[in-house]
Each structure stands twice: as C-alpha cells, then as structure tokens.
Amino acid sequence: MRLKQTGIFEGRVQVRYSYGRFGWTRNGGKTWHGGIDLVALDDKTIRMPYYKGKKITGKVTRARIVYNHNDKTWEWGWYVCVQLDANQTPDTVNFLYFCHCSCLLVSVGQKVSSGDALAIMGQTGNAANGYDHTHLEARATATGTGVDPTEYAGCANAVGIYGTQEVDAPTSDAAASTGKLQVITVGPVSQGDADAILAVCKERGLTDAGLYKSEWA
C-alpha cells in the first residue's frame, strides 16, 4: 500500500476543528482558534507539507514542550516550529507550528523539506476533547497571530475528511489506479463481525464523519 501525502499527513486527513472559529479549551469557548485541528486517518506521522504541490524547505527553530503556564505555548504540548526559507511562497507565512505531538522526530537547527517526518500526532498540552490530533498553525512572525493555514493543511477549512488512500492495483482496475474513494458494502454479517467493523470505522473517524452505515437485513 502506498499513501499520498495530504497536507501534513500521508493518506486521508480529517478536519475536526477549523481555523478562525472560537475554541473551547479556554475562556468558556471565547478564545479564537488560530490554527486548524487535523486528524490523520491512515498514518500518524506529521510531515513537512508541500505548498500547492510545490516542495518547500525550512529550518526547525523549536522542538520542545513548555511547562511554564505564563507562556501560552504550554498549551501546545510537544511541538515543532519550522521557519520557512525565504521567497518560496507568495503569502505572508514564515513559520509553521505542529502542536500536541506525542513525540518529536527532529531537533532545533535541523533543515527539513516537504515530506520529511517531523513528529507523531498526539494530544499533549491543552488538547481539546481527548483525541489525537495536530493543531497546525501558520504565522507571519514567530510571536504573531495565526493566519489561514489551509494551503499547508492540504484541505479545505471545513469539517470533513479529505484525501485518498492509494492502493497498488493492476492497471486494468481504473478506480484503484486513480486513487478514487470507494463505496464498500459488507454483509450480511454476524453481530460479532458487525461490531468489529464498527470499531474500525470509529477508529478511523468514519462514524464521526457520517460515512458509516449499518442496516438489519
């Protein structure tokens, strides 16, 4: 199986909380959400993104966790900050933050480029709702306000599932070779098998996205 990179992950990605809304982890839902919350459905490795299909490069300037609550970055848990090399993209973004990681795979000063592994998705810091995800934030300056990160997220700024899981298949199978999404019907099956299928769909976020359906025969 080979997976296509969608934003910061290989394979499919789910947007659980979009950029520009008001978050619920602080101040009773009155805090503006300066990034986008992404859940990897196929591979939890966080990777350096592309920009509209173009390879980009940068340098790791932060790879740490902050415990001092006077520094608001403590809420990010383990996080990586990459400063983009100059004059690669037409927008104002110079810094990318990858937050709530379970562990880090890079160190400060390291040069990285699109596709490089940076960290593993997690829920460290003040992560909302107790599920593994990555808060991706883009900034013009290191201490500035988050700007729209969707060109780096590789998906729309809206709740949903994006990307495809590509599977190696014979070239005669047109649907598989193009990596298109499929509708799969299984059954009738026993209650035990149905429960097992439901568990897998929940793990991959398909039930939350309304993509799982079960009916009695």
Side-chain angles (χ1 to χ4, degrees), residues 47-80:
R47 298 182 182 277
M48 183 70 174
Y50 292 81
Y51 182 86
K52 295 184 177 180
K54 173 188 174 183
K55 188 173 183 178
I56 55 176
T57 59
K59 183 174 73 173
V60 176
T61 60
R62 294 284 188 274
R64 65 178 186 177
I65 188 171
V66 173
Y67 295 104
N68 181 359
H69 285 207
N70 291 323
D71 181 339
K72 289 184 178 180
T73 61
W74 78 268
E75 296 190 279
W76 289 346
W78 287 103
Y79 77 94
V80 173

Side-chain angles (χ1 to χ4, degrees), residues 84-85 89-96 137-140 147-149 152:
L84 300 179
D85 293 334
T89 61
D91 57 26
T92 63
V93 176
N94 293 304
F95 295 87
L96 296 175
E137 190 156 324
R139 293 182 175 185
V147 297
D148 190 344
Y152 302 89

Side-chain angles (χ1 to χ4, degrees), residues 65-125:
I65 188 171
V66 173
Y67 295 104
N68 181 359
H69 285 207
N70 291 323
D71 181 339
K72 289 184 178 180
T73 61
W74 78 268
E75 296 190 279
W76 289 346
W78 287 103
Y79 77 94
V80 173
C81 174
V82 174
Q83 182 175 6
L84 300 179
D85 293 334
N87 303 319
Q88 297 184 94
T89 61
D91 57 26
T92 63
V93 176
N94 293 304
F95 295 87
L96 296 175
Y97 294 84
F98 309 85
C99 311
H100 304 315
C101 308
S102 61
C103 67
L104 307 183
L105 304 177
V106 291
S107 56
V108 172
Q110 185 173 334
K111 294 287 291 182
V112 292
S113 61
S114 298
D116 288 348
L118 304 176
I120 303 297
M121 182 177 73
Q123 51 182 295
T124 56

Side-chain angles (χ1 to χ4, degrees), residues 31-50:
T31 300
W32 184 71
H33 192 233
I36 187 170
D37 288 350
L38 305 171
V39 178
L41 299 181
D42 298 311
D43 187 340
K44 293 185 176 183
T45 304
I46 302 167
R47 298 182 182 277
M48 183 70 174
Y50 292 81

